[in-house]
Amino acid sequence: MLNIRSKSLYILQLRKNKITFNDSKECRIILRERSGRLGNRLFMFASAYGLSLKYSCQLYIDQNIINELQTSFEMNLTSLLSKSQLNNFTSITKIENHCSYIPDVLHSLNNSYSIELSGYWQVHKYFLDYMEQIKQQLRFKKSILDRVKNFLEKNIDKNISTSVGIHIRRGDFLLVRRVSSDNYIFNAMSHFQIKYHSVIFIIVSDDKGYCRKTFGQKKNVLVTPDSFSAADDLATLTLCKHTILTAGTFGWWGAFLSQNRLGDVLTDSKPDHTPLDANCRQDDYFPSWFKFLNNTN
């Protein structure tokens, strides 16, 4: 297995041998791991799908992953490798990656490439050029959209108010990761209240009781119902005009899949604009249209 620590040595060896990808070689991208929650799963799927499109590789995605994603999304994956076909490949290189961009990831010494993705692969550069194809695969089920739209229409007059979705991650992050501060969230809300005449904030979270207690006293704040699933909450973010992100990948995907491509996305970060809760490069993790509170013009 190629892990983060050995990545640099791996790339150095590839460059030393000056191997380039060409059409005479066959390549396969394999995704079998099911790590983390929905945001992580989406990064893993998108990276595998994006790499297969970029290099015209055959793609294998474990059926359990497909089944899980298809409970929420109208996916239409064609020409996937079958499990029986995968079993014919004896040489598979497993590459573990959290959030590092590896430009030479598909280069190899052999005439065929069988690359299995391990880890979270939280790098938009692997699929940004295929954003529309990714969005086409990740269209929410009609039942989800109908439920969310019904909730929004009952609570928001879109002709008067500008909707801003807020994702607040707490849960396990309180013990093992950094979470965004209430102060950051209030400051981000102030940014939109200054910019727009009438604003309504819609909060999605894995701790909705805390959000109602902390932010729900304001008349222009809604918290999605406890009955909403993770997919319902994610769809809610995509239907808002603008987005406020905290730590974690869930909100990232809400902004990336937003139906309002021109909306503002404010995200929390360390002082150098790298992700608050992970050691990732800014340019690898955050798309160029994501903004920061000290850089929101």
Side-chain angles (χ1 to χ4, degrees):
M1 177 184 292
L2 180 68
N3 56 33
I4 299 291
R5 293 184 294 275
S6 62
K7 183 198 71 177
S8 297
L9 181 61
Y10 172 75
I11 293 176
L12 179 63
Q13 183 65 35
L14 293 175
R15 288 173 176 166
K16 180 179 179 181
N17 287 277
K18 298 181 180 178
I19 302 300
T20 59
F21 189 88
N22 61 65
D23 293 337
S24 66
K25 299 182 179 182
E26 297 180 356
C27 64
R28 308 168 194 95
I29 305 297
I30 300 164
L31 180 62
R32 289 187 279 205
E33 285 194 13
R34 299 168 63 208
S35 302
R37 300 182 182 180
L38 182 56
N40 293 324
R41 304 280 176 87
L42 291 177
F43 262 116
M44 296 166 72
F45 164 76
S47 291
Y49 191 59
L51 286 169
S52 73
L53 292 175
K54 180 176 182 178
Y55 293 103
S56 300
C57 296
Q58 294 175 296
L59 178 63
Y60 174 83
I61 300 179
D62 184 85
Q63 189 62 47
N64 289 324
I65 297 174
I66 296 174
N67 292 343
E68 181 181 34
L69 292 176
Q70 283 183 334
T71 63
S72 303
F73 303 102
E74 297 284 1
M75 304 181 75
N76 182 28
L77 296 168
T78 59
S79 304
L80 291 179
L81 288 169
S82 67
K83 192 170 185 178
S84 60
Q85 289 175 306
L86 184 66
N87 291 335
N88 293 328
F89 306 141
T90 57
S91 179
I92 296 175
T93 301
K94 182 177 285 191
I95 302 180
E96 182 178 354
N97 186 14
H98 180 191
C99 56
S100 298
Y101 180 58
I102 311 172
D104 299 341
V105 69
L106 288 189
H107 292 185
S108 172
L109 300 180
N110 301 319
N111 287 330
S112 64
Y113 302 71
S114 292
I115 304 297
E116 179 169 359
L117 307 190
S118 175
Y120 295 127
W121 289 77
Q122 296 170 1
V123 186
H124 71 273
K125 290 179 179 178
Y126 292 123
F127 54 85
L128 186 62
D129 289 343
Y130 305 95
M131 184 173 178
E132 293 310 313
Q133 291 94 322
I134 296 293
K135 283 190 170 185
Q136 184 66 20
Q137 293 296 337
L138 299 179
R139 291 171 293 120
F140 287 97
K141 293 278 190 180
K142 183 178 183 300
S143 59
I144 292 175
L145 288 176
D146 286 347
R147 184 162 48 251
V148 171
K149 287 179 179 178
N150 182 58
F151 166 74
L152 294 176
E153 288 170 359
K154 284 183 176 180
N155 290 282
I156 300 173
D157 186 340
K158 62 182 180 181
N159 295 319
I160 298 175
S161 298
T162 298
S163 60
V164 178
I166 306 177
H167 168 244
I168 299 178
R169 176 66 182 269
R170 289 174 60 78
D172 59 326
F173 272 31
L174 293 172
L175 299 175
V176 298
R177 306 282 280 277
R178 292 182 64 181
V179 298
S180 297
S181 68
D182 294 346
N183 187 55
Y184 156 76
I185 297 168
F186 280 122
N187 286 341
M189 293 168 71
S190 294
H191 165 80
F192 287 105
Q193 288 175 313
I194 292 171
K195 189 170 183 178
Y196 298 100
H197 173 70
S198 177
V199 181
I200 188 162
F201 298 98
I202 302 96
I203 296 178
V204 306
S205 176
D206 58 353
D207 191 346
K208 295 183 180 183
Y210 173 85
C211 293
R212 292 189 182 100
K213 179 180 178 181
T214 307
F215 305 98
Q217 305 305 316
K218 293 179 175 292
K219 293 182 179 180
N220 63 338
V221 173
L222 291 173
V223 180
T224 56
D226 292 334
S227 60
F228 269 25
S229 67
D232 293 337
D233 276 346
L234 188 63
T236 300
L237 290 178
T238 69
L239 294 176
C240 293
K241 291 290 186 181
H242 309 283
T243 317
I244 295 172
L245 305 186
T246 59
T249 58
F250 186 90
W252 190 104
W253 277 99
F256 189 82
L257 297 174
S258 173
Q259 294 189 7
N260 182 27
R261 178 63 176 79
L262 299 178
D264 288 344
V265 178
L266 294 190
T267 186
D268 201 3
S269 69
K270 299 170 187 170
D272 62 355
H273 291 170
T274 58
L276 183 72
D277 59 310
N279 294 320
C280 310
R281 285 172 48 88
Q282 174 192 344
D283 292 343
D284 292 345
Y285 186 79
F286 291 123
S288 60
W289 66 91
F290 284 29
K291 301 177 181 179
F292 309 91
L293 279 180
N294 59 348
N295 183 26
T296 54
N297 294 328

